[in-house]
Amino acid sequence: MIDFGIITVSDTRTEESDKSGLYIQKAMVEAGNNFVQKYIVKDDASQITAAYNKLLVSSCKLILVNGGTGIARRDVTIDTLEPKFIKVIPGFGEYFRQISIADIGLKALVSGATAGITDSDQICYLLPGSTNACKTALEKIILPDLNHLIKEITK
């Protein structure tokens, strides 16, 4: 059982309309993990950072951020959080885009999805806001390899 937290980055989502955040929470709990906290913040670097910092000092070993990973001017999640990683996991984003091409075509190439390790030895995934993209990431990449990654960063 792994403690996890969620950050949804969106200018429009609310607790009721946050389909991606709700999907992530449900899928992770159904996989036997422990939900700790969720934050819904605007596409704003200071709000994203504040939520991230709260999860850094929590019991979470996994932080799942959804939204703000595209190429629009308002998409600041990658620029805000990736520099905070002590190590980037480039293979996650590369593989995520590769398998997403089968679902959505070349549009997958504009996703900045990435992952990294925090200075608190947590894994942080930066995912698109699309529920389908979150489902692809969780089912095909994150959940199958999660225990291995947690073991690697805590040894």
Side-chain angles (χ1 to χ4, degrees), residues 15-71:
E15 190 62 43
E16 296 76 32
S17 66
D18 179 22
K19 291 179 184 175
S20 295
L22 292 171
Y23 166 76
I24 292 169
Q25 182 178 343
K26 182 178 181 208
M28 290 294 296
V29 169
E30 286 177 354
N33 298 294
N34 182 50
F35 173 67
V36 174
Q37 183 69 48
K38 180 171 90 170
Y39 298 97
I40 299 175
V41 299
K42 301 288 184 202
D43 286 287
D44 174 82
S46 62
Q47 288 189 32
I48 295 167
T49 299
Y52 177 80
N53 287 341
K54 289 175 185 174
L55 291 177
L56 283 181
V57 297
S58 72
S59 64
C60 291
K61 291 306 291 175
L62 174 66
I63 301 171
L64 298 158
V65 182
N66 72 95
T69 62
I71 59 171

Side-chain angles (χ1 to χ4, degrees), residues 18-152:
D18 179 22
K19 291 179 184 175
S20 295
L22 292 171
Y23 166 76
I24 292 169
Q25 182 178 343
K26 182 178 181 208
M28 290 294 296
V29 169
E30 286 177 354
N33 298 294
N34 182 50
F35 173 67
V36 174
Q37 183 69 48
K38 180 171 90 170
Y39 298 97
I40 299 175
V41 299
K42 301 288 184 202
D43 286 287
D44 174 82
S46 62
Q47 288 189 32
I48 295 167
T49 299
Y52 177 80
N53 287 341
K54 289 175 185 174
L55 291 177
L56 283 181
V57 297
S58 72
S59 64
C60 291
K61 291 306 291 175
L62 174 66
I63 301 171
L64 298 158
V65 182
N66 72 95
T69 62
I71 59 171
R73 287 180 189 251
R74 290 289 296 157
D75 293 330
V76 297
T77 301
I78 304 297
D79 295 334
T80 301
L81 295 182
E82 191 176 51
K84 298 179 183 312
F85 296 161
I86 60 167
K87 236 178 228 270
V88 175
I89 306 170
F92 167 75
E94 294 163 3
Y95 186 61
F96 174 77
R97 283 180 284 281
Q98 179 184 352
I99 63 176
S100 295
I101 287 174
D103 288 337
I104 64 170
L106 293 177
K107 292 185 287 186
L109 298 179
V110 301
S111 170
T114 191
I117 308 302
T118 73
D119 60 1
S120 300
D121 289 332
Q122 298 153 308
I123 300 171
C124 182
Y125 288 93
L126 308 181
L127 309 172
S130 152
T131 305
N132 187 50
C134 291
K135 183 176 182 179
T136 297
L138 277 176
E139 292 179 5
K140 295 183 179 179
I141 308 171
I142 297 170
L143 286 171
D145 199 38
L146 187 56
N147 289 329
H148 168 253
L149 289 177
I150 295 292
K151 186 189 294 184
E152 285 297 313

